[in-house]
Amino acid sequence: MPGLSMGLGVGISAMRTAFSPASLFRDGSQGVWCDPSDLSTMFQDAAGTTPVTAPGDPVGLLLDKSRGLTLGPELLDEYGSGWTAANTTPSISEDTVALTNGAWRATYSRGFATIVGQSYRLDYGHITDVNGSSPLIRILTSDTWGGTQLVSLSPTASGGSVLFTATTTTTYIYLGANAVASGLVSSFGPTSVKHLPGHHASQATASKRPTYQTDGTLHWLSFDGVDDFMAVPLAATQSLQKFTAVLGLSFRNIAATGMVLASSDAASRYAYAMYSGGGEATARLRSSAATPDVISTPATNNVPLITNTAYDGSVGELRLRSNGTDAASTGTSGGGGTPDTNPFYLGARNGDGTADLFSNSRIYGIVMLGRILTMTETSDTEQYLADKSGVTL
């Protein structure tokens, strides 16, 4: 086998160099792995249609790499099977369907099973307006053309793809025409919907998006401390019975309170946050309605830092490591609390659905999952993020 003659020491070094956070999730653990150095995982819009390519680009979608970014199976049948036509007799030719309006709008639709909070990719072929029909493809939360829209696509000759997040357990795709007149024709190429597993961070409002930045070696998300933040659809209770959160970050105003990663902070719910304030990086956890547990480590403005917070509810302990060494630990009240279905926020606190306590910070990478890491996993993960952040451990 190639490489064996190079010696045991070289082999071990190569294996350690090859560490990937993906290995932490192979046991099915839920969590997130965000990597701003991988441009293929970032898009300027929340729908994932415009890639991030240069420093200063806004980031509206940051894909979670914990599930490998591998698409699931097809959720739509070919045209004809499982689809419902209204006010039209569809004309199907291979992978294209043409809809001709009768006295009212022609539609062609079907439902498919989805997981609330999870992302899906719609791929579509041409959408052709044959004679003024104003065709659209809509992804809807209910089985009606006028329902709540997750996606609405106008005519395009080349097709494309778009991501959406499911908000219901059944989601619907509608092909149809906005113009209502007899004899108008819309033509649609192939359509496909597949699950994109993971907990992908997004921001739908353009003015509230962080930006991608790089110095040519390091790469990071820059949050302005004013209104930038992203939502990560990972419910706090999935990760707060036992959890580990390792971050590569730096603060631009360590004196001010600003949340880098935070769950909802409603009363009597599980809540976790990593934030700046008073010259320290602080981990804060409330596992019941009791007073939160807080542990901190010194930090300096504009100096990258690797923080590692671990909570083990079975023994009631919260631990914080800083740049590869133990920094602080404390006992916790453990147990209790109401399940929290609100997402985590990057760059702000989720104040039960309202963003506040914005962070003036950089994020070089995040690995968070719902279990305690082994000593080897801890060392490998901290070293991985240190390399991404320019930190020497």
Side-chain angles (χ1 to χ4, degrees):
M1 295 176 62
L4 288 180
S5 62
M6 296 174 66
L8 181 60
V10 172
I12 291 175
S13 175
M15 285 189 292
R16 291 186 65 85
T17 301
F19 169 78
S20 167
S23 64
L24 305 175
F25 300 91
R26 289 174 185 154
D27 63 357
S29 294
Q30 294 295 306
V32 293
W33 167 24
C34 296
D35 179 12
S37 71
D38 185 349
L39 287 182
S40 71
T41 67
M42 294 186 292
F43 297 84
Q44 297 184 44
D45 58 320
T49 61
T50 306
V52 167
T53 60
D57 282 350
V59 181
L61 177 67
L62 174 63
L63 298 181
D64 165 24
K65 298 171 66 173
S66 68
R67 296 293 163 217
L69 299 179
T70 301
L71 292 170
E74 180 60 59
L75 299 179
L76 302 181
D77 294 319
E78 294 182 355
Y79 294 140
S81 176
W83 290 77
T84 299
N87 195 41
T88 188
T89 299
S91 175
I92 301 171
S93 176
E94 295 183 351
D95 57 2
T96 296
V97 60
L99 308 179
T100 302
N101 281 7
W104 189 242
R105 176 186 296 113
T107 60
Y108 198 50
S109 64
R110 62 156 297 139
F112 52 94
T114 48
I115 303 170
V116 174
Q118 287 288 290
S119 295
Y120 295 81
R121 192 175 84 177
L122 166 66
D123 291 287
Y124 58 97
H126 68 86
I127 308 172
T128 304
D129 188 339
V130 176
N131 58 351
S133 61
S134 299
L136 293 172
I137 294 179
R138 288 180 174 176
I139 300 293
L140 302 157
T141 61
S142 58
D143 193 9
T144 174
W145 175 261
T148 300
Q149 300 174 23
L150 301 177
V151 173
S152 182
L153 299 167
S154 299
T156 172
S158 58
S161 64
V162 62
L163 292 181
F164 64 91
T165 300
T167 59
T168 52
T169 55
T170 302
T171 303
Y172 298 86
I173 181 170
Y174 266 71
L175 316 182
N178 239 9
V180 179
S182 180
L184 299 182
V185 180
S186 300
S187 177
F188 301 88
T191 53
S192 168
V193 172
K194 295 181 179 180
H195 182 204
L196 181 60
H199 303 94
H200 312 294
S202 64
Q203 173 54 264
T205 304
S207 63
K208 297 181 179 181
R209 293 169 182 161
T211 58
Y212 162 71
Q213 301 291 348
T214 181
D215 60 7
T217 301
L218 303 178
H219 308 261
W220 62 88
L221 292 183
S222 180
F223 293 83
D224 65 5
V226 178
D227 59 2
D228 290 354
F229 75 99
M230 302 184 79
V232 183
L234 174 66
T237 49
Q238 291 180 356
S239 56
L240 286 178
Q241 306 300 316
K242 289 186 178 182
F243 83 95
T244 303
V246 190
L247 287 78
L249 72 159
S250 65
F251 301 103
R252 289 192 289 267
N253 186 356
I254 192 64
T257 300
M259 303 286 179
V260 178
L261 172 67
S263 63
S264 178
D265 199 25
S268 76
R269 292 181 179 173
Y270 293 100
Y272 164 73
M274 169 56 65
Y275 61 97
S276 63
E280 296 181 312
T282 297
R284 178 182 186 273
L285 181 133
R286 182 178 59 235
S287 53
S288 70
T291 301
D293 300 296
V294 177
I295 50 178
S296 303
T297 186
T300 303
N301 279 340
N302 302 310
V303 176
L305 178 71
I306 307 302
T307 64
N308 182 343
T309 307
Y311 169 62
D312 188 344
S314 66
V315 297
E317 184 180 40
L318 180 67
R319 301 190 304 272
L320 176 63
R321 289 169 56 84
S322 174
N323 286 347
T325 61
D326 293 330
S329 65
T330 183
T332 70
S333 55
T338 302
D340 187 359
T341 58
N342 289 310
F344 278 85
Y345 281 0
L346 302 181
R349 179 179 65 173
N350 183 346
D352 205 22
T354 301
D356 60 8
L357 299 181
F358 297 96
S359 177
N360 190 350
S361 60
R362 296 176 175 181
I363 294 179
Y364 300 91
I366 296 173
V367 175
M368 180 175 178
L369 67 164
R371 64 177 177 87
I372 304 299
L373 300 184
T374 67
M375 291 180 62
T376 298
E377 289 173 336
T378 295
S379 175
D380 286 344
T381 304
E382 290 176 347
Q383 185 61 60
Y384 170 85
L385 286 175
D387 293 342
K388 296 288 185 179
S389 308
V391 173
T392 300
L393 299 183

